[in-house]
Amino acid sequence: MQGNVIDDRQPLAHGCGFLQGRYRSNSTPMAMYSFLDDYSEGAHPDILRALTDSNWVQQTSYGTDSHTDDAANKIKAHLGEGFAGAIHFVANGTIANIVSIASCLRPHEAVIAVASGHIVLREAGAIEATGHKLIVVPAVDGKLTTATVEAALASNAHFPHMAKPRLIYLSNATETGTIYTLAELRDLSALAKRRGLILFLDGARLGAALASPKNDASLADIASLVDLFWIGGTKLGALLGEAIVVCNPALSEDFAFHVKQRGAMLAKGRLLGIQFQQLFGANHLFSSLAQHANAMAAKLAAGIVSAGHSLAADTETNQVFPILPNAVIAALQSHFAFYIWAKADDEHSVIRLVTSWATEEHQVDSFLSHLVAV
């Protein structure tokens, strides 16, 4: 089976709201349908159209253009009347984490993160490369808790012989697709303030977290509780790009110097601004695309459980972690691409299935049909 990409030839037979009017071609390189990640496709057509429509209009550089300014204002409209920080756009999540974390810390200060955290496992030691120690603690359903933070503080207090814990790293959604409730965020925020810590939230899949049926927090809530966070575009229909939201005014000063010094300030900053204009524009793509990705994941999870298999984690966003027999996994790999995430036992493994803004429902149905047929 050949994979698909969007172009202007064949209209998609798809009844899901925002997906209508997209087009597909069967002349693309993927040999099978991919559930590897949520950025296998290029970008949502509205974003591509906006980039094309603005292509010949001259704009100033380095994020000083009208598109970027408008995008920042559109995001600020969701952050609450009391928001007094700043927004900066960068190209990808690793650089968003590097710039955000390194800008806050002195050389002897460290980051508290869960063992499954993205900066711990998936960024090639990028934070350590900036000179900051990671203090790793066990995850509880993928998340940090006040108890694990307190334990980390207690066991890393032999000063000046140990790196000083200074920043708490969260990701929402987590690496296992779970989300932080508003109560959990409030508890962590209160702890951070009480202990003089910086609270930082990695928002690579923040759209999916906010669109989760289990979510009870808003962007304004997050902005009021953390010192800085970022909003992921790459994993939500953008070609590339993330929006760093610096909520604490004390951290806003000179933040642009950190962006520039880390090589994250694009000369053609308009390209990022235009995309976030669309994500937070009149069509509400930021929420609708995430809702679709989550709905496709929920359907996958329900079908997997119906077929008699279990899940390694609750499906709260757009990541599904089934536990399947190795023979079944091998059969499915003939038709679908996905990661084998972890060994469960000698006969079973955990796989990861990720749905996206562009996941087609018939491909979810096809996966479930193949699963039942094996």
Side-chain angles (χ1 to χ4, degrees), residues 82-86 223 226-227 246-255:
F83 180 78
V226 308
D227 292 288
V246 189
C247 309
N248 185 338
L251 301 177
S252 297
E253 186 177 356
D254 291 345
F255 194 89

Side-chain angles (χ1 to χ4, degrees), residues 29 81 245 273 323 335 361:
E81 292 184 5
V245 182
I323 303 171
H335 304 278
E361 191 166 4

Side-chain angles (χ1 to χ4, degrees), residues 2-313:
Q2 286 195 321
N4 300 315
V5 292
I6 298 167
D7 73 3
D8 60 357
R9 287 171 277 185
Q10 300 177 5
L12 265 176
H14 202 301
C16 190
F18 64 85
L19 291 174
Q20 291 181 359
R22 298 191 319 156
Y23 297 87
R24 277 194 186 272
S25 163
N26 288 320
S27 59
T28 63
M30 285 292 284
M32 58 189 69
Y33 194 81
S34 175
F35 290 103
L36 285 171
D37 52 53
D38 32 16
Y39 40 92
S40 289
E41 294 85 6
H44 189 276
D46 286 2
I47 288 174
L48 294 177
R49 191 176 302 113
L51 288 167
T52 300
D53 289 347
S54 66
N55 192 52
W56 293 101
V57 180
Q58 291 185 324
Q59 288 281 341
T60 52
S61 56
Y62 297 108
T64 62
D65 59 280
S66 63
H67 296 290
T68 301
D69 185 58
D70 183 56
N73 286 332
K74 281 179 163 58
I75 293 172
K76 286 177 183 178
H78 295 270
L79 301 180
E81 292 184 5
F83 180 78
I87 296 174
H88 299 265
F89 297 93
V90 298
N92 64 63
T94 299
I95 199 64
N97 284 334
I98 290 171
V99 171
S100 297
I101 293 172
S103 72
C104 295
L105 302 182
R106 298 173 70 187
H108 61 282
E109 293 177 332
V111 179
I112 300 171
V114 294
S116 57
H118 200 76
I119 61 170
V120 177
L121 294 180
R122 309 289 172 191
E123 291 187 345
I127 302 305
E128 292 98 327
T130 68
H132 300 290
K133 178 181 175 62
L134 296 183
I135 298 170
V136 178
V137 302
V140 179
D141 294 329
K143 296 181 279 188
L144 265 178
T145 67
T146 55
T148 55
V149 173
E150 290 281 18
L153 294 173
S155 60
N156 288 272
H158 187 200
F159 303 145
H161 307 288
M162 304 177 92
K164 181 180 181 181
R166 176 68 168 131
L167 183 143
I168 300 171
Y169 168 87
L170 312 176
S171 60
N172 197 26
T174 70
E175 289 298 289
T176 56
T178 53
I179 68 166
Y180 285 88
T181 65
L182 181 55
E184 289 169 334
L185 291 172
R186 283 174 172 162
D187 287 345
L188 287 162
S189 179
L191 170 62
K193 288 178 172 61
R194 187 168 66 250
R195 300 299 297 268
L197 303 174
I198 296 164
L199 186 59
F200 168 65
L201 189 146
D202 174 331
R205 293 191 172 97
L206 185 55
L210 294 174
S212 171
K214 295 190 175 182
N215 176 62
D216 61 349
S218 66
L219 274 174
D221 290 326
I222 291 169
S224 71
L225 294 171
V226 308
D227 292 288
L228 67 169
F229 70 101
W230 56 274
I231 301 168
T234 299
K235 296 177 179 177
L236 197 62
L239 278 174
L240 74 165
E242 333 295 347
I244 302 174
V245 182
V246 189
C247 309
N248 185 338
L251 301 177
S252 297
E253 186 177 356
D254 291 345
F255 194 89
F257 287 91
H258 295 282
V259 176
K260 178 65 177 181
Q261 198 172 69
R262 297 286 175 183
M265 186 175 287
L266 296 188
K268 296 183 181 180
R270 59 188 281 168
L271 300 180
L272 302 176
I274 289 166
Q275 294 180 80
F276 276 89
Q277 273 185 304
Q278 294 303 309
L279 288 175
F280 284 86
N283 290 336
H284 306 289
L285 293 182
F286 184 72
S287 57
S288 64
L289 299 185
Q291 287 165 7
H292 174 76
N294 287 358
M296 294 299 97
K299 181 169 185 175
L300 263 177
I304 289 163
V305 171
S306 261
H309 303 287
S310 58
L311 303 175

